[in-house]
Amino acid sequence: MLVLGIETSCDETAAAVVRRQTEMLSNVIASQCEHLRYGGVVPELAARAHIKLILPVIQQALDEADVTLDDLDGIAVTSGPGLVGSLLVGISAAKSIALARGIPLLGVHHLEGHIFANFIANPELAPPFICLLVSGGHSELMLVREKGDYQILGRTCDDAAGEAFDKVAKMLELPYPGGPSIQKEAETGDPRFVDLPIAQVKKNPLDFSFSGLKTAVLTILESHDRDWLTDHRADIAASFQEAVVRALVSKTIAAAEANHIDTIVLAGGVASNRRLRELARQETSVRGMAVFYPPLKLCTDNAVMIAAAGAYRLANGERSDMTLNAIPTLKLGTRS
Ligand code: KG4
Ligand code: ZN
């Protein structure tokens, strides 16, 4: 079964072809550079850039997989959550191809895609597992009982982890996206330079909160001058990264222990963070747990993950019809 995946939920125009749910035949990602000078994604510019890029990107994904539209058994497209104008470009392209060729169409949840990136990368991975899904828009801790069965154990009360990286990078005058910039800057910094607060959420200890951390960084910066920032930018970046990573890993381990699960999976853009991977490896190995994460290219937004999740659901007989619409706040899973 050959499935074309299309992903346009934010500022990446991506298309990919997957065979038999887990074999990646192509993975094309066009990152939009229009947003760089604004220090964040501008929705209007993103939608316009998707329009320009979508057909060449789809064609390249077919060419690299050495297939044509006639060979496809299905099309999977991100239908939410995301920016409505961006989502609609991918959905319209997917619908047009599906209608013109008479191929089954399926709308895929972007976050389910991030989870499925792990099945592509780690064929031995099998539920149940605890998934820490951390991206620019989401920070969720979930119990994946089986493919398609997601129980939300915790989520952020304010900023997503990636959003916190992006905002603090801006404060430190580091380029967008903030995650990779802070990671790079942190390489030469002292993670113990300042002990930043890791917020505990009273109502649910597995929920995250990153806004206090962001305010703490701002307070430090406001009490010093620019020369101090130049001298200590790397130290602040390292201390901030350490605080976020410790909060993420400690809650993920707590979720695994509370649910008697010994497999942990990292997903989403922030899962590419080197320190997060390292601490997750350390903390799982001392407890005899296993940890999985995708390679860097499949952590951040891509269409392989959408094709993989779509292929699984298409194989189960699920279909979308031509009323498929963009749902910017589409939900995944049930909250415990
Ligand atoms: O999953 P993703 O590509 O898009 C969303 O669905 O949001 O995640 C993007 C987020 C951005 O906030 C970016 O700063 C963050 O992932 N990110 C990282 C790293 N690489 C990307 N955060 C920390 N460390 C990284 N190495
Ligand atoms: Zn994403």
Side-chain angles (χ1 to χ4, degrees), residues 108-128:
V108 170
H109 196 291
H110 180 78
L111 298 187
E112 183 168 52
H114 275 302
I115 299 170
F116 268 72
N118 276 284
F119 294 123
I120 291 265
N122 310 293
E124 70 277 30
L125 173 65

Side-chain angles (χ1 to χ4, degrees), residues 86-153:
S86 292
L87 288 164
L88 283 170
V89 176
I91 292 173
S92 304
K95 276 187 187 176
S96 313
I97 298 170
L99 195 60
R101 298 284 159 149
I103 315 170
L105 169 75
L106 191 73
V108 170
H109 196 291
H110 180 78
L111 298 187
E112 183 168 52
H114 275 302
I115 299 170
F116 268 72
N118 276 284
F119 294 123
I120 291 265
N122 310 293
E124 70 277 30
L125 173 65
F129 54 77
I130 296 291
C131 181
L132 171 70
L133 208 170
V134 269
S135 69
H138 295 86
S139 293
E140 322 245 330
L141 252 180
M142 41 179 105
L143 168 59
V144 179
R145 286 201 204 86
E146 48 189 288
K147 288 178 182 173
D149 181 350
Y150 312 111
Q151 184 186 346
I152 309 294
L153 305 171

Side-chain angles (χ1 to χ4, degrees), residues 132 134-135 138-139 156 159-169 179 182 191 194-199 208-214 217 236-252 270-271 273 275-277 279:
L132 171 70
V134 269
S135 69
H138 295 86
S139 293
T156 183
D159 292 340
E163 193 181 357
F165 269 98
D166 295 336
K167 287 179 177 169
V168 168
I182 288 192
V194 270
D195 195 10
L196 291 163
I198 296 177
F208 301 104
S209 168
F210 297 112
S211 68
L213 193 56
K214 196 182 58 188
V217 173
I236 300 289
S239 301
F240 166 77
Q241 174 176 263
E242 191 65 18
V244 174
V245 163
R246 286 199 174 275
L248 294 175
V249 172
S250 66
K251 289 183 194 232
T252 308
V270 182
N273 185 271
R275 177 65 185 138
L276 173 63
R277 290 166 174 246
L279 191 66

